[in-house]
Amino acid sequence: MPPAHHRRWLATGLAHAFLADHEQPGARTPEALLARAKVCLGCEGAAPGWLASLAQAVAIRWARQGLIDTVDSLAQMLLQRPEWALDKQAFDEGDEEPSDDSANRPEPVPVGQWAVRHWLLRPARMAAPPWGLQHIDTPDLPTAADWVQWLGIEPDRLLWLTHPSQHWREGSERPHATVAHHYHHRLLPKRSGGLRLIEAPKSELKQVQRLLLDRLLAQLPTHEAAHGFVRGRGVHTHAQVHAAQPCVISFDLRDFFPSIGAARIRAFWRSWGYPEAAARMLTQLCTTRTPVAVRERLREAQALDFNAAKRLATPHLPQGAPTSPALANLCAFGLDLRLEGLAHRFGARYSRYADDLVFSGPAPLAQRFRQLHAWVGAIAADEGFALHPGKLRRALSHQQQRITGLVVNAQPNIARADYDLLRAELHHAVRSASVDAQQRAHLQGRVAWACQALAPSRVAKLQALLARIA
């Protein structure tokens, strides 16, 4: 085994030993950590100085910061200790003379003399939910076998859906090594030009994601400022927040769903109390990597810049999966919290519908647009998002103030031009000899949406026209 791999293997074994039984009373003391490390390495008699030094460092780390480590993070921390650095720089071959200050140096790790003899593996168990979520009924599912039973699928099917090759980089070396892709990809034209990528899961994965949404994610509360994809809220509640305000300012987040990567989703599942293996499995069920052919098609349509292509090339939330909106809202909780505080400092209101950020307030807010823009951009960048430079809108009361398709100058309402266009389409459908079921369902949906924000007289006119369609 190469020295670097052996060093990593040794650090991983020690990390497992340090984390084993860490929840027992007195299990985080330097003496208890050292005893488990000795068992891991098969050390008999007195422990070497470098091993005692590592145990002492881990005990101090946990006493100061709490138990925040996974096996990977703890192994990385151990490898960054000076004991390993000295071994790497000067003590691997043992052919260098110690310097005058060697008495102050920690004893180096003689990697070639030690090996992991016993793997001390702690059983997978759920952690306590974060503060404020103890009332939520979280199912106790620490292992893959528990998830197989809970999801009602066969073990081999779950393994197929979460196969690690789904997140491998595509290449020509081993094209046969990857399993079939679990998503359909559709490119839809945008009103502003370009193409929109929809990554819709196939039937089996979609069914699993629907279970995760209905039985897990739907229980978690989202921020009060989030109105998109939240039960009981929607476009109209989002617009109502900013109705009859002298100034309305809108920002737009670029690539909202692809900006949320697998690391953030895995951290979310971990913070909810699921073990590392379960969190990794759930992350693979909820994220995807866009194939090269799809990215190339977007590049040809000039709908993809370098940063957007990089986000799609890494595991991310797919726009089109049932779980993506709920996970996006939960991952944007910190963004909503900080932007709501910012709005309070500016004497304004704030709400978000998916990637649409809206602030409204008194007329002097328009004079502070640049300052607000700078703060919003900085907070969004700090939270892992980016503002779209071409979608900044500022409207005063004498202008048409439009939010997610609704005019909010007085109260949320359909724009007159949109109402006239819909009525014209209904007239045309009435005069047509026949209208297929798909077209009629489309018109019925548009009428139902428009009637939520129209006067009763206009509602009656649209419904009467819809009833006359053959």
Side-chain angles (χ1 to χ4, degrees):
M1 181 182 295
H5 292 174
H6 187 79
R7 185 179 292 107
R8 178 72 186 183
W9 173 61
L10 189 62
T12 302
L14 289 174
H16 275 289
F18 288 142
L19 286 168
D21 296 329
H22 67 276
E23 296 179 350
Q24 301 298 324
R28 303 183 192 179
T29 62
E31 295 77 14
L33 294 172
L34 181 59
R36 297 200 295 273
K38 290 176 59 178
V39 173
C40 172
L41 300 182
C43 176
E44 299 180 357
W50 62 269
L51 190 58
S53 177
L54 292 179
Q56 181 72 24
V58 173
I60 294 174
R61 173 183 174 89
W62 289 352
R64 292 177 177 175
Q65 303 179 10
L67 186 63
I68 59 174
D69 283 308
T70 64
V71 171
D72 292 337
S73 67
L74 186 57
Q76 186 64 29
M77 173 265 181
L78 294 176
L79 289 173
Q80 292 173 354
R81 291 284 302 166
E83 293 87 351
W84 302 87
L86 287 172
D87 172 67
K88 182 179 180 180
Q89 294 172 2
F91 292 93
D92 271 337
E93 302 298 332
D95 57 355
E96 291 190 7
E97 294 294 333
S99 59
D100 295 336
D101 61 345
S102 60
N104 298 325
R105 292 182 177 181
E107 181 181 344
V109 182
V111 176
Q113 301 177 17
W114 294 94
V116 177
R117 303 299 181 185
H118 305 283
W119 287 91
L120 304 184
L121 305 178
R122 54 177 177 164
R125 59 173 66 94
M126 299 285 293
W131 181 82
L133 297 181
Q134 291 84 355
H135 64 284
I136 295 177
D137 184 17
T138 302
D140 188 9
L141 304 170
T143 66
D146 297 324
W147 281 100
V148 164
Q149 184 177 2
W150 189 81
L151 292 171
I153 61 177
E154 296 296 328
D156 58 338
R157 304 307 295 174
L158 181 60
L159 180 61
W160 181 65
L161 292 175
T162 60
H163 197 277
S165 67
Q166 292 292 321
H167 289 171
W168 290 352
R169 293 183 181 273
E170 293 183 78
S172 57
E173 295 82 3
R174 295 190 304 165
H176 60 281
T178 60
V179 301
H181 209 275
H182 299 311
Y183 285 84
H184 296 291
H185 299 86
R186 291 182 295 170
L187 301 178
L188 305 179
K190 296 181 180 180
R191 291 184 179 181
S192 57
L195 297 175
R196 182 188 307 277
L197 173 62
I198 302 297
E199 298 175 296
K202 297 180 181 179
S203 58
E204 188 171 5
L205 179 58
K206 185 176 182 179
Q207 183 179 359
V208 171
Q209 292 178 346
R210 179 61 65 181
L211 286 174
L212 294 177
L213 174 63
D214 295 340
R215 298 168 64 179
L216 286 181
L217 299 176
Q219 302 182 66
L220 296 180
T222 57
H223 195 275
E224 292 80 0
H227 290 259
F229 318 110
V230 180
R231 186 175 300 173
R233 308 176 206 169
V235 172
H236 294 84
T237 59
H238 173 58
Q240 186 63 49
V241 175
H242 309 283
Q245 293 295 308
C247 178
V248 176
I249 300 175
S250 301
F251 304 94
D252 194 84
L253 296 176
R254 183 195 291 270
D255 300 329
F256 180 53
F257 288 105
S259 296
I260 303 176
R264 191 182 298 191
I265 301 301
R266 186 169 61 252
F268 159 75
W269 291 113
R270 288 284 291 150
S271 66
W272 199 0
Y274 289 99
E276 179 67 23
R280 186 180 298 110
M281 180 198 69
L282 291 169
T283 301
Q284 290 173 333
L285 286 173
C286 299
T287 58
T288 186
R289 183 195 295 270
T290 307
V292 172
V294 179
R295 302 202 304 268
E296 291 296 334
R297 177 66 184 89
L298 288 170
R299 283 199 187 94
E300 293 175 1
Q302 298 181 351
L304 204 64
D305 58 16
F306 174 79
N307 291 326
K310 186 176 180 181
R311 284 189 285 267
L312 293 179
T314 56
H316 59 273
L317 280 185
Q319 183 173 357
T323 51
S324 293
L327 287 171
N329 279 336
L330 293 168
C331 291
F333 192 96
L335 174 71
D336 293 331
L337 192 67
R338 297 175 66 180
L339 291 183
E340 186 181 47
L342 178 68
H344 179 74
R345 292 297 301 268
F346 276 78
R349 305 177 179 184
Y350 163 74
S351 68
R352 177 179 62 83
Y353 188 92
D355 57 355
D356 190 33
L357 315 176
V358 182
F359 295 80
S360 65
L365 183 64
Q367 302 172 5
R368 306 177 66 185
F369 171 74
R370 288 188 177 182
Q371 186 181 1
L372 178 64
H373 183 199
W375 273 104
V376 172
I379 292 175
D382 194 48
E383 292 291 332
F385 299 97
L387 295 182
H388 197 299
K391 294 185 178 181
L392 306 178
R393 300 175 296 278
R394 176 179 53 179
L396 299 177
S397 56
H398 65 278
Q399 301 169 314
Q400 187 185 72
Q401 298 171 335
R402 195 161 181 163
I403 297 175
T404 55
L406 297 176
V407 178
V408 296
N409 290 73
Q411 61 183 8
N413 202 351
I414 304 295
R416 179 57 185 266
D418 295 341
Y419 169 76
D420 291 341
L421 178 60
L422 178 57
R423 190 175 62 174
E425 292 182 10
L426 291 172
H427 271 294
H428 178 73
V430 168
R431 295 179 179 179
S432 299
S434 62
V435 177
D436 58 34
Q438 183 177 1
Q439 184 179 358
R440 192 182 192 284
H442 174 71
L443 292 173
Q444 187 175 4
R446 292 182 58 189
V447 169
W449 184 86
C451 288
Q452 299 180 57
L454 286 175
S457 59
R458 291 188 172 182
V459 170
K461 290 179 181 179
L462 294 181
Q463 291 179 344
L465 288 172
L466 182 64
R468 292 170 55 191
I469 298 178

